[in-house]
Amino acid sequence: MGFPNLVTERETSSEESSSSEDEGENIVVDDSENEEEEEEEEEEAQEEVVETKKREKKPITISLKKVCKVCKKAGHQAGFQGATYIDCPMKPCFLCKMPGHTTMTCPHRVATEHGVLPASPRNARHSVNFVFERQLRPNVPAIKPAFVVPDHVDCGVIRYHSRRVTCLEFHPTNNNILLSGDKKGQLGVWDFIKVSEKTVYSSVHTCILNNMRFSSVNHGTIYAASSDGTISCTDIETGFSESLMDLNPNGWHGPSSWRMLYGLDINAEKGLVLVADNFGFLYMLDARTNGRTGGPILIHKKGTKVVGLHINPVQPELLLSCGNDHFARLWDIRRLEAGSSICDLAHRRVVNSAYFSPQTGSKILTTSQDNRLRVWDSIFGSLDSPSREIVHSHDFNRHLTAFRAEWDPKDPSESLVVIGRYISENYNGVALHPIDFIDISNGQLVAEVMDPNITTISPVNKLHPRDDVLASGSSRSLFIWRPKDESEHVEQKVEWKILTCGKSGNNSSRKGDSDDSDDGLLGLKGKKLKRRRIQIKSSQKDQRALVL
DNA sequence: ACGCCATGATTCC
DNA sequence: TGGAATCCCTGGCG
């Protein structure tokens, strides 16, 4: 039984060395209170742990010591040091999930060009390939236009949701209307130009509104899929709502039988509404009669959630689905039956979203819980492996809506993508979670957008189909961002119109207070942040330097 | 202001 | 296969 001893030795020695390193070169952590006597005690505790090994009960001594809250070992501590989060070194990197380093030293940090992992085998850019693509996309511009990144909280912040925002949708024709859904199933309609013009429909659904899509024939109505097991079709003017389908007509009989609806999309050509549930099934409804067409079809592993559906914008027969079985799948809806997928795109973890590119429909972008965005450059080429994987922090646990990378529908080169970031960064002493703009053709971080007033994570983001506007959902709040107009040298005219309703009033007033009281501090930080927010491409190292 | 709790969904064992 | 554990969350309560 030399093995446990060996383990003990290794662990203690590594800790000793790490703690001594911490004093010197490693800037990072460690309370200097870690005196020698304590270390001895820690070693004892360590041995105890190893001896008990089966972790029946924690030795009481542990609770007396400062111990890492993640791995319960002594000698280091995970957690915030000011606005900087220190990872537990015993765990794999929180960003890229590889062992041997932490987020601080991760080569993928801040999604620079290092963040791009070429797939193996790499999709070579043969000239044949290029011609092929050129044929498919005759209108592809020769030179990629400069991205316009909405970066400045402009006209409004709104808080009418009483629970976290789960999805956003811009009106297809009215430029100023934003729809939002929340965890409670409420549907918000907001005219963000007339900031105070807002409506909340609370009786559309009874729990999480997972996805919504405007009707292709009537721009005044929106379809929504909810965890209450129904699809709603709501008139956004009147709030009149019709339920198209109820998967739980007999009510609640426990979680094993309760059906929830997640993925939703519309096939305009055939007038179909497609939805998918938490058991792996797809349902199709006729948008004209609002009746079901055919029975449920198993499109993902039985019993797993299908979180996303997307109809190809150019070939409406093509359907892309994704879900908790770690796959995104491509389907021909004319021949749709269990196991008939055209292609299965494997991922290492749950796939939060899968989208065709918005204009040509020839690219695929997925967001997976393994902290990687995946890009397939052409659905007409080989789909065996993604053309690129981009490491980006967007895994999550509780309380957060799943992150989804969203295309910029205006970008003719179909390479600009927006996605919120999970891990925070220390920006002038404030831990903020930026919203990232990523060029998926090369994996570069085009811009990181943040505001010192927004300290919560923004997992829900959507770019406007026509204007340079970004809408974000962060916790219960909605934000509208626009590019800062450089010609106007207006003095910091950030008008924070925090509109609230319901019981969130407390918070908003608290927020207002802190804005006032922190005046100098926040204002200054805000200014500095805004000035340097956008660093287009060029050198990522410079950006890093600027940020720190 | 602080600490504690619940929460959800997934992964791990 | 079920049940335990779970790192940067959010909000509410005492």
Side-chain angles (χ1 to χ4, degrees):
Chain A
M1 288 290 123
F3 185 63
N5 285 335
L6 192 69
V7 173
T8 323
E9 268 174 34
R10 199 177 33 171
E11 281 182 351
T12 42
S13 69
S14 80
E15 248 142 48
E16 269 170 4
S17 65
S18 76
S19 62
S20 59
E21 270 166 24
D22 286 345
E23 309 283 300
E25 60 168 49
N26 215 350
I27 324 156
V28 197
V29 253
D30 227 322
D31 6 314
S32 39
E33 305 131 50
N34 249 352
E35 313 288 316
E36 280 112 62
E37 332 117 69
E38 243 183 36
E39 267 181 25
E40 278 170 28
E41 283 170 323
E42 277 153 13
E43 277 174 30
E44 281 169 31
Q46 212 61 61
E47 281 161 20
E48 236 178 302
V49 175
V50 175
E51 278 162 26
T52 51
K53 200 158 181 164
K54 301 267 176 175
R55 51 153 58 179
E56 303 122 35
K57 275 177 196 170
K58 288 174 210 161
I60 314 154
T61 40
I62 289 287
S63 60
L64 302 172
K65 313 246 146 12
K66 282 197 176 175
V67 129
C68 172
K69 66 176 177 184
V70 177
C71 69
K72 312 285 188 259
K73 297 208 172 94
H76 66 273
Q77 270 189 290
F80 275 104
Q81 300 273 320
T84 307
Y85 192 92
I86 309 298
D87 279 338
C88 170
M90 301 296 167
K91 290 276 183 170
C93 173
F94 199 64
L95 209 201
C96 74
K97 309 299 178 195
M98 303 302 277
H101 65 273
T102 65
T103 311
M104 290 295 264
T105 50
C106 179
H108 302 296
R109 195 167 163 219
V110 195
T112 64
E113 62 273 14
H114 303 295
V116 190
L117 308 176
S120 54
R122 188 171 194 157
N123 280 6
R125 281 283 173 207
H126 300 308
S127 50
V128 183
N129 228 336
F130 184 72
V131 172
F132 181 55
E133 192 163 312
R134 206 70 197 182
Q135 272 178 347
L136 294 166
R137 306 169 48 192
N139 297 325
V140 68
I143 299 165
K144 192 154 64 177
F147 297 129
V148 181
V149 174
D151 61 340
H152 176 241
V153 176
D154 177 75
C155 63
V157 185
I158 198 162
R159 257 214 193 184
Y160 48 51
H161 287 287
S162 54
R163 288 290 181 274
R164 58 165 218 249
V165 172
T166 53
C167 57
L168 294 173
E169 205 72 21
F170 282 103
H171 193 280
T173 49
N174 187 329
N175 284 347
N176 310 328
I177 302 288
L178 178 70
L179 271 78
S180 50
D182 73 18
K183 189 171 175 277
K184 257 191 164 175
Q186 304 196 330
L187 178 67
V189 183
W190 180 28
D191 184 331
F192 54 86
I193 294 298
K194 305 169 196 155
V195 185
S196 55
E197 252 177 57
K198 59 184 166 49
T199 317
V200 188
Y201 299 120
S202 55
S203 54
V204 180
H205 289 290
T206 55
C207 63
I208 309 185
L209 207 165
N210 290 307
N211 273 295
M212 56 187 169
R213 206 65 41 113
F214 271 93
S215 159
S216 49
V217 288
N218 181 352
H219 292 164
T221 65
I222 188 142
Y223 293 93
S226 162
S227 289
D228 64 13
T230 68
I231 311 172
S232 61
C233 176
T234 308
D235 183 321
I236 60 167
E237 289 292 326
T238 63
F240 176 75
S241 188
E242 193 184 347
S243 181
L244 305 197
M245 184 169 80
D246 182 1
L247 290 183
N248 305 294
N250 301 319
W252 176 261
H253 292 288
S256 57
S257 61
W258 184 262
R259 290 183 176 262
M260 308 187 243
L261 288 170
Y262 284 84
L264 170 89
D265 204 0
I266 288 168
N267 176 321
E269 198 183 54
K270 292 187 161 61
L272 284 174
V273 180
L274 299 98
V275 277
D277 71 6
N278 58 330
F279 288 102
F281 289 94
L282 173 86
Y283 306 80
M284 288 198 270
L285 295 103
D286 189 315
R288 284 175 274 263
T289 65
N290 285 348
R292 236 198 248 182
T293 66
I297 303 159
L298 187 68
I299 58 167
H300 279 265
K301 187 180 173 188
K302 197 166 187 176
T304 65
K305 211 159 74 175
V306 183
V307 290
L309 293 178
H310 192 210
I311 293 282
N312 190 289
V314 175
Q315 293 292 331
E317 283 86 25
L318 271 184
L319 169 71
L320 185 59
S321 66
C322 64
N324 285 16
D325 65 350
H326 299 19
F327 278 97
R329 299 183 204 271
L330 202 54
W331 306 86
D332 183 340
I333 63 168
R334 292 166 298 188
R335 282 171 278 144
L336 201 53
E337 54 188 53
S340 71
S341 58
I342 299 169
C343 184
D344 300 328
L345 309 175
H347 293 67
R348 288 185 49 241
R349 287 287 161 80
V350 167
V351 189
N352 294 346
S353 68
Y355 294 119
F356 291 111
S357 55
Q359 299 191 13
T360 67
S362 63
K363 300 182 186 182
I364 288 176
L365 167 71
T366 67
T367 306
S368 171
Q369 286 283 58
D370 66 355
N371 268 356
R372 278 148 181 84
L373 306 177
R374 287 177 176 77
V375 184
W376 284 262
D377 280 331
S378 173
I379 55 171
F380 302 102
S382 164
L383 293 174
D384 293 345
S385 62
S387 312
R388 268 173 305 286
E389 291 183 7
I390 301 166
V391 174
H392 178 265
S393 170
H394 54 252
D395 61 338
F396 69 104
N397 35 18
R398 302 170 282 209
H399 298 131
L400 292 178
T401 305
F403 290 83
R404 299 192 265 207
E406 304 276 350
W407 296 97
D408 179 2
K410 303 177 293 298
D411 172 22
S413 67
E414 299 187 316
S415 50
L416 186 62
V417 149
V418 64
I419 181 167
R421 197 192 302 173
Y422 180 33
I423 45 175
S424 63
E425 196 78 45
N426 182 344
Y427 295 97
N428 287 344
V430 191
L432 299 175
H433 308 268
I435 299 162
D436 291 330
F437 285 77
I438 294 170
D439 183 339
I440 51 100
S441 68
N442 55 23
Q444 282 195 344
L445 182 69
V446 173
E448 42 184 347
V449 168
M450 85 292 286
D451 187 293
N453 292 290
I454 305 172
T455 53
T456 47
I457 296 171
S458 307
V460 191
N461 296 285
K462 212 104 191 192
L463 287 161
H464 197 284
R466 292 166 299 278
D467 296 337
D468 295 322
V469 167
L470 164 69
S472 299
S474 190
S475 182
R476 304 177 333 197
S477 305
L478 297 178
F479 299 92
I480 292 289
W481 309 70
R482 284 170 208 279
K484 190 168 193 175
D485 189 348
E486 295 296 342
S487 61
E488 285 178 33
H489 289 293
V490 193
E491 274 295 310
Q492 270 280 303
K493 219 175 86 184
V494 190
E495 286 171 26
W496 280 80
K497 294 169 186 156
I498 301 178
L499 305 176
T500 55
C501 66
K503 53 179 179 173
S504 50
N506 275 347
N507 278 319
S508 83
S509 66
R510 193 162 51 81
K511 187 145 204 157
D513 290 349
S514 75
D515 281 355
D516 292 341
S517 61
D518 272 347
D519 216 2
L521 200 65
L522 264 180
L524 183 71
K525 275 172 195 156
K527 237 175 228 173
K528 279 189 181 162
L529 283 168
K530 287 198 176 94
R531 192 133 314 149
R532 84 159 114 60
R533 213 170 346 168
I534 308 302
Q535 310 290 329
I536 306 292
K537 298 188 192 152
S538 58
S539 162
Q540 293 296 324
K541 285 148 244 150
D542 291 350
Q543 179 177 352
R544 217 32 283 132
L546 273 166
V547 170
L548 294 173

